[in-house]
Amino acid sequence: MANIKNIVKVMNFHSLVRVDKAKREAKKYFGVEDELCKMLYQIINNTNLKLDKKILVENENGIVLNVYIGNDLGFCGDFNYQLQREIRKDNYSYKIIIGKKIFKYDEDEKVLLQIRKTNFFDEYYKIENIISKYISEKKIKSINVYYNHYYNVNDIRFESRKLFPLDIGIYDDVDLDVDFVIETDVNQLISDILSLTLCYQIKIYESNSYASENVMREKITSESIDKIDKLEEEKNLEENKKRKEENLKKQINNFKNTMR
């Protein structure tokens, strides 16, 4: 029991540390994503450039690409339940699956990639390659992410977010009259920036999912520690009761011996 308690305590401590780390990572990626969107907005709406904006529009006959973000480790309750259910319903789209706990679809020909969450950053280039290829070839109808969204420690919700078509927004502080000197294929440039922006959004949602996972793990491990403490207390009480009974028996036997 002591060994189990120590393991649970370690997992509890690490989950608290990881929540803060995930929040910092997400904040960092938000900044990069915003700058990329501004860059796209400036190029696409520039008054001095004539561009093919079809790359930003969904291909009605294209594929749907869904990214599912789960986890690798346990002690997370039903963290993956809704993800699993959504994947089972998803018979028509192509899929990228992140997280060992939802690696159950080897026979699904539409699963393009499965990576462990712990290998997310090492193998992230594989996700970039897939998205860049389909974007540059204009083969995408939509890209969606399914994950558990962290709002606060008491509010974690399973959600889906549409990444493509991309809603760039409007930036009043961006100069659209800049006269660019471009020595490359501007449409390929837009394709590359668009792909990079979408990939950074996936990084943001992965970080958010990581925070959600560890909040749930912290709650469950805290509850487990409380249960272990109660079990230990009950065990100690039972042992104390047995010792008292044995002492009482000894006293009675001693008394009987003195009376003979």
Side-chain angles (χ1 to χ4, degrees), residues 15-184:
S15 62
L16 287 170
V17 173
R18 287 167 181 160
V19 170
D20 289 333
K21 180 183 176 183
K23 287 160 68 177
R24 288 195 303 271
E25 290 291 321
K27 187 176 180 180
K28 179 174 66 177
Y29 297 139
F30 270 126
V32 177
E33 183 215 8
D34 186 58
E35 288 302 315
L36 288 169
C37 283
K38 279 186 179 180
M39 194 183 301
L40 270 178
Y41 178 77
Q42 187 173 43
I43 295 172
I44 290 164
N45 296 288
N46 189 273
T47 56
N48 300 309
L49 291 175
K50 292 182 180 180
L51 305 172
D52 177 12
K53 298 183 180 180
K54 290 181 181 178
I55 198 164
L56 299 172
V57 180
E58 65 185 71
N59 178 352
E60 285 294 338
N61 298 315
I63 68 165
V64 174
L65 175 61
N66 289 335
V67 181
Y68 295 93
I69 304 176
N71 70 324
D72 293 342
L73 305 175
F75 282 100
C76 291
D78 60 352
F79 184 84
N80 294 304
Y81 172 74
Q82 288 176 296
L83 280 164
Q84 298 275 19
R85 186 175 63 178
E86 198 64 38
I87 295 173
R88 283 195 294 270
K89 291 192 304 182
D90 186 0
N91 297 317
Y92 64 92
S93 71
Y94 287 83
K95 306 170 189 69
I96 293 174
I97 294 176
I98 301 166
K100 181 184 174 184
K101 289 288 184 179
I102 49 176
F103 279 13
K104 297 180 180 179
Y105 305 95
D106 293 331
E107 296 180 1
D108 187 341
E109 294 179 354
K110 291 190 174 182
V111 174
L112 302 177
L113 178 65
Q114 293 186 135
I115 60 174
R116 292 172 181 258
K117 204 164 188 177
T118 50
N119 296 339
F120 177 76
F121 289 100
D122 291 335
E123 299 187 44
Y124 183 71
Y125 70 93
K126 296 178 181 179
I127 299 174
E128 288 182 315
N129 291 342
I130 291 170
I131 290 176
S132 295
K133 178 178 183 293
Y134 284 121
I135 289 292
S136 63
E137 294 175 358
K138 300 183 180 68
K139 290 183 177 180
I140 290 286
K141 181 178 182 181
S142 69
I143 300 176
N144 309 284
V145 175
Y146 292 83
Y147 71 113
N148 290 285
H149 187 91
Y150 169 86
Y151 288 97
N152 57 58
V153 292
N154 297 311
D155 188 4
I156 293 171
R157 304 175 208 168
F158 176 72
E159 294 186 351
S160 65
R161 300 290 176 93
K162 179 174 278 191
L163 304 188
F164 183 84
L166 178 67
D167 182 10
I168 299 174
I170 297 173
Y171 296 89
D172 295 328
D173 59 336
V174 172
D175 183 3
L176 299 179
D177 294 320
V178 174
D179 195 5
F180 286 103
V181 176
I182 298 178
E183 298 180 355
T184 185

Side-chain angles (χ1 to χ4, degrees), residues 206-259:
E206 188 277 336
S207 294
N208 191 288
S209 169
Y210 194 59
S212 300
E213 168 191 343
N214 283 287
V215 166
M216 294 179 76
R217 183 173 293 118
E218 191 277 329
K219 285 184 178 181
I220 290 172
T221 51
S222 292
E223 290 171 0
S224 299
I225 290 169
D226 289 341
K227 287 178 181 178
I228 291 171
D229 286 339
K230 287 178 182 178
L231 287 171
E232 288 180 342
E233 185 179 351
E234 289 174 3
K235 183 180 178 181
N236 290 334
L237 288 172
E238 187 65 28
E239 289 176 353
N240 288 335
K241 182 180 177 183
K242 285 182 179 179
R243 280 197 295 269
K244 287 179 181 179
E245 288 176 350
E246 289 173 359
N247 289 334
L248 181 61
K249 286 179 182 178
K250 286 181 182 179
Q251 290 175 1
I252 292 172
N253 287 331
N254 291 337
F255 178 75
K256 286 180 179 179
N257 290 334
T258 56
M259 294 298 292

